[in-house]
């Protein structure tokens, strides 16, 4: 009788051990994917490498390339310990200017440094906002204002922000970059001593905004590429141009410009770092953070290069007889003409946008508020815009 009882007890013991063993195996199975996932994430963070093809329309000596893009890439390579490297193609070597977005989408390149939306207002209608004239600005004010605009969470239309409307709808991820010094008016010698002299001038205009401004003050405008300007001025075909001083030496204009009206602050040429949103989303989070940090660390230093170059060029050209006249020192009628032209240009641009169904008033007010917040200034009539 004892043996059957012993058999029952042994059987129960075996069943109990099997149950315990089964439960342990289930727990291990539940924990394993989590451990493997952590290991995979860690491996992805520490081992995966990326080589980005970068296109730029800028020359390797351009202030924006030297002052911002090169330091940005160098910092990323250092802070990722070589996990990220860059293969660069400058001077439009791989992709011509204005073809950057198509090249990004086709995979020809991974990064545009920069994307040039101002040259394509039909695709990027709001980006010209940085070209509107200001009554006070600087390369640092303009750069930090455009950065703040890109990062703004203020909805402009259909609940979407500036970046979402302008770039996100095209499948792009953009990061802020240094933008240009403010534009001035420079001539080969024609002086703005009277309203009549302003209105007889013939100047090269680099953008649609400058064409609007020229029309509003009665200046005759000519559209041409910057690299054709030296020859045109040498032949007397044009009297000068809207241009920022710190860019003169890239084209030899310091030899020709003899008279410049400053503090008219006729806008900033803005551009950006860009890649596809798909490319950005595929990056590990730590690399995204390093890229953003590198922007923040270098963007203001990049703007300072324009400040320094401007000072050097003014000093050099003044010693050779060039004049630099503050708009506030002009004849009151001339100053009034130039400033009133600024105000009308803002309203013209707003109307163009709104006629296209874009949020013209909303983007103008947002840009105005950002510029004022950062220490810049706008024409009086724009301060009253509501």
């Amino acid at each position: 009788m004892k043996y059957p009882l012993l058999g029952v007890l042994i059987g129960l013991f075996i069943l109990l051990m099997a149950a315990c063993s089964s439960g342990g195996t289930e727990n291990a199975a539940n924990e394993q994917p989590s451990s493997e996932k952590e290991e995979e994430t860690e491996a992805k963070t520490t081992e995966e490498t990326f080589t980005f093809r970068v296109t730029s329309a800028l020359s390797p000596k351009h202030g924006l390339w030297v002052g911002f893009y090169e330091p940005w890439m160098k910092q990323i390579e250092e802070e990722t310990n070589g996990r990220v490297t860059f293969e660069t193609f400058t001077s439009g070597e791989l992709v011509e200017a204005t073809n950057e977005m198509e090249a990004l989408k086709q995979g020809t390149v991974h990064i545009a440094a920069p994307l040039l939306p101002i040259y394509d207002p039909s695709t990027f209608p709001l980006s010209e906002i940085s070209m509107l004239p200001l009554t006070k600005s600087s390369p640092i004010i303009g750069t930090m204002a455009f950065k703040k605009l890109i990062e703004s969470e203020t909805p402009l239309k259909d609940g979407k922000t500036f970046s979402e409307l302008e770039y996100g709808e095209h499948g792009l991820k953009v990061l802020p970059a240094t933008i240009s010094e403010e534009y001035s008016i420079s001539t080969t010698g024609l002086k703005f001593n009277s309203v009549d002299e302003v209105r007889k001038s013939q100047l090269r205009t680099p953008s649609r905004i400058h064409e609007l401004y020229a029309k509003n003050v009665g200046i005759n405008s000519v559209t041409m590429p910057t690299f054709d300007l030296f020859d045109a001025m040498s032949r007397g075909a044009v009297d000068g141009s809207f241009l920022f001083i710190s860019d003169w030496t890239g084209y030899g204009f310091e030899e020709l410009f003899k008279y410049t009206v400053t503090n008219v602050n006729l806008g900033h040429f803005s551009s950006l770092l860009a890649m596809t949103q798909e490319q950005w989303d595929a990056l590990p989070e730590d690399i995204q953070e390093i890229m953003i940090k590198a922007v923040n660390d270098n963007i203001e230093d990049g703007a300072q290069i324009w400040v320094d170059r401007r000072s050097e060029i003014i000093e050099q050209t003044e010693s050779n007889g060039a004049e630099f006249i503050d708009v506030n020192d002009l004849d009151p009628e001339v100053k009034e003409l130039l400033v009133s032209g600024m105000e009308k240009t803002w309203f013209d641009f707003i109307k163009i946008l709104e006629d296209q169904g874009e949020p013209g008033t909303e983007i103008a007010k947002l840009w105005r508020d950002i510029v004022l917040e950062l220490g810049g200034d706008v024409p009086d009539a724009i301060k009253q815009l509501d």
Side-chain angles (χ1 to χ4, degrees):
M1 294 297 293
K2 291 181 179 179
Y3 292 110
L5 178 59
L6 180 60
V8 171
L9 291 174
I10 292 172
L12 289 172
F13 179 79
I14 292 171
L15 289 173
L16 180 61
M17 291 301 294
C20 291
S21 175
S22 174
T25 302
E26 183 178 353
N27 290 338
N30 289 337
E31 291 171 5
Q32 187 64 28
S34 175
S35 176
E36 288 178 357
K37 184 177 181 181
E38 289 173 4
E39 290 176 2
E40 288 174 4
T41 301
E42 184 178 355
K44 184 177 182 181
T45 300
T46 58
E47 296 176 11
E48 192 170 3
T49 61
F50 301 86
T51 297
F52 294 105
R53 286 190 302 278
V54 180
T55 183
S56 182
L58 306 173
S59 79
K61 295 183 179 180
H62 194 281
L64 180 54
W65 183 260
V66 173
F68 177 75
Y69 287 113
E70 277 191 332
W72 179 77
M73 290 183 286
K74 181 179 179 182
Q75 180 172 333
I76 291 168
E77 289 180 339
E78 290 175 352
E79 295 193 4
T80 61
N81 296 315
R83 290 165 55 214
V84 172
T85 56
F86 299 93
E87 184 182 8
T88 59
F89 300 87
T90 56
S91 303
E93 175 188 0
L94 183 61
V95 178
E96 293 183 0
T98 73
N99 293 334
E100 292 89 357
M101 183 169 72
E102 182 181 358
L104 289 171
K105 292 186 173 182
Q106 290 180 347
T108 307
V109 294
H110 305 112
I111 296 175
L115 180 73
L116 302 163
I118 283 178
Y119 287 148
D120 189 5
S122 61
T123 303
F124 305 106
L126 304 181
S127 291
E128 285 183 304
I129 190 72
S130 69
M131 297 290 273
L132 288 174
L134 306 171
T135 53
K136 178 185 176 184
S137 191
S138 71
I140 293 175
I141 289 173
T143 290
M144 301 312 289
F146 199 65
K147 178 178 186 291
K148 198 172 183 69
L149 179 64
I150 292 169
E151 296 170 347
S152 171
E153 296 183 359
T154 301
L156 297 176
K157 179 183 177 183
D158 300 331
K160 295 183 178 180
T161 66
F162 169 76
S163 289
E164 289 169 341
L165 286 171
E166 195 77 338
Y167 313 115
E169 292 199 352
H170 299 290
L172 297 176
K173 168 65 180 181
V174 300
L175 296 175
T178 299
I179 67 175
S180 81
E181 177 196 352
E182 62 277 17
Y183 281 78
S184 300
I185 301 173
S186 298
T187 74
T188 55
L190 178 66
K191 299 183 179 182
F192 287 2
N193 292 327
S194 68
V195 169
D196 287 343
E197 286 178 309
V198 173
R199 288 179 170 162
K200 78 177 183 181
S201 65
Q202 183 153 303
L203 303 180
R204 176 252 180 184
T205 50
S207 73
R208 179 172 65 168
I209 296 291
H210 291 107
E211 289 175 4
L212 291 172
Y213 178 77
K215 180 180 179 182
N216 288 333
V217 299
I219 291 173
N220 302 296
S221 65
V222 178
T223 301
M224 69 176 68
T226 307
F227 51 77
D228 288 341
L229 180 57
F230 187 95
D231 180 63
M233 290 193 297
S234 298
R235 292 184 290 103
V238 294
D239 297 306
S241 179
F242 298 95
L243 196 67
F244 44 99
I245 296 168
S246 54
D247 206 30
W248 287 6
T249 53
Y251 302 93
F253 296 147
E254 72 278 9
E255 300 176 19
L256 298 179
F257 285 138
K258 300 300 180 184
Y259 180 85
T260 297
V261 179
T262 62
N263 285 330
V264 281
N265 301 303
L266 296 174
H268 297 268
F269 188 95
S270 58
S271 57
L272 326 98
L273 269 162
M275 64 180 71
T276 65
Q277 186 68 50
E278 182 180 6
Q279 173 81 59
W280 177 258
D281 291 341
L283 292 176
E285 185 177 346
D286 71 311
I287 290 181
Q288 292 178 351
E289 292 172 353
I290 288 171
M291 286 184 165
I292 292 170
K293 179 178 180 294
V295 166
N296 294 335
D297 289 348
N298 290 286
I299 193 167
E300 196 164 333
D301 288 343
Q304 185 62 41
I305 280 190
W306 295 129
V307 176
D308 296 341
R309 286 193 176 187
R310 171 191 170 96
S311 298
E312 292 168 3
I313 291 169
I314 289 177
E315 182 179 356
Q316 173 193 343
T317 54
E318 276 186 328
S319 67
N320 293 326
E323 293 182 74
F324 294 85
I325 309 298
D326 191 296
V327 67
N328 296 299
D329 295 330
L330 293 173
D331 180 273
E333 288 187 0
V334 175
K335 176 186 174 182
E336 173 61 26
L337 175 68
L338 297 179
V339 172
S340 64
M342 294 182 186
E343 295 177 346
K344 191 170 189 317
T345 299
W346 277 71
F347 290 115
D348 288 347
F349 182 63
I350 290 170
K351 185 176 187 305
I352 287 172
L353 290 181
E354 293 189 340
D355 287 348
Q356 296 172 350
E358 303 291 347
T361 299
E362 290 76 11
I363 185 64
K365 288 164 58 179
L366 178 58
W367 180 241
R368 172 202 66 189
D369 293 346
I370 291 173
V371 167
L372 292 174
E373 177 187 343
L374 293 175
D377 208 351
V378 299
D380 288 338
I382 306 307
K383 293 178 183 176
Q384 310 305 318
L385 184 64
D386 193 9

